[in-house]
Amino acid sequence: MDRNCGFNERTKETFTKLTPQNRGYIWLTDHFKSNNRPYYLQINTFPDNTGVFCLGIGKQLPKRLKNAEILQNKLIEKFEQDKSKLNHYIVTVKGNKNEDFLRTTYRLNLSNPQNPKVTPIIKVYKK
């Protein structure tokens, strides 16, 4: 997998084209329905421990999740389904050394998967 949710066959050309830090693996896949259509959320992780969120419809290959750039390429600490709301997820990301926060928890709302909403819930700042 690459950082744009592209699937790449394991060939010599692919390994030459994609640098090691851009070769990802599927960390998690969660299937859900919205408006009676099947979707899946896929999170790909990379050697630097960052993650990329991808969204697929039915059996189509996934595409990078739009309107969720605040979550993309971040250090994902925790990911779980929000049991209180359908098609909502709780995502906790760590800040890196250049950011002023230790971690932030977000709600990812996929009730309308074509227009996802990401809302910060809690932000823990560095001293």
Side-chain angles (χ1 to χ4, degrees):
M1 306 305 291
D2 62 32
R3 291 193 182 268
N4 290 316
C5 302
F7 175 76
N8 297 281
E9 300 237 2
R10 290 179 179 227
T11 63
K12 188 175 184 179
E13 293 81 28
T14 300
F15 279 93
T16 303
K17 180 178 74 171
L18 287 175
T19 60
Q21 65 268 24
N22 288 318
R23 288 185 209 141
Y25 300 92
I26 298 171
W27 177 55
L28 179 137
T29 302
D30 188 60
H31 297 268
F32 65 96
K33 281 192 173 193
S34 181
N35 299 322
N36 290 324
R37 291 186 72 190
Y39 290 88
Y40 62 96
L41 178 67
Q42 181 175 294
I43 302 174
N44 301 330
T45 57
F46 295 86
D48 62 0
N49 294 322
T50 59
V52 172
F53 289 76
C54 308
L55 181 70
I57 302 170
K59 295 185 187 241
Q60 296 177 4
L61 288 175
K63 293 186 169 93
R64 194 172 168 105
L65 187 62
K66 296 178 183 176
N67 301 330
E69 286 306 313
I70 197 163
L71 297 175
Q72 303 289 24
N73 297 308
K74 299 287 186 182
L75 297 167
I76 301 169
E77 185 174 79
K78 189 174 182 183
F79 177 86
E80 62 186 350
Q81 191 170 19
D82 184 348
K83 303 282 186 216
S84 66
K85 296 186 181 201
L86 189 62
N87 300 337
H88 285 64
Y89 299 89
I90 304 297
V91 183
T92 302
V93 299
K94 286 184 176 181
N96 64 35
K97 61 184 175 187
N98 299 326
E99 295 174 310
D100 64 346
F101 66 93
L102 292 173
R103 68 184 39 86
T104 304
T105 301
Y106 296 96
R107 173 173 280 114
L108 172 60
N109 177 347
L110 292 176
S111 296
N112 179 0
Q114 302 305 320
N115 188 23
K117 304 252 186 285
V118 180
T119 309
I121 300 172
I122 299 170
K123 193 173 233 179
V124 178
Y125 289 92
K126 294 177 182 175
K127 287 186 177 185

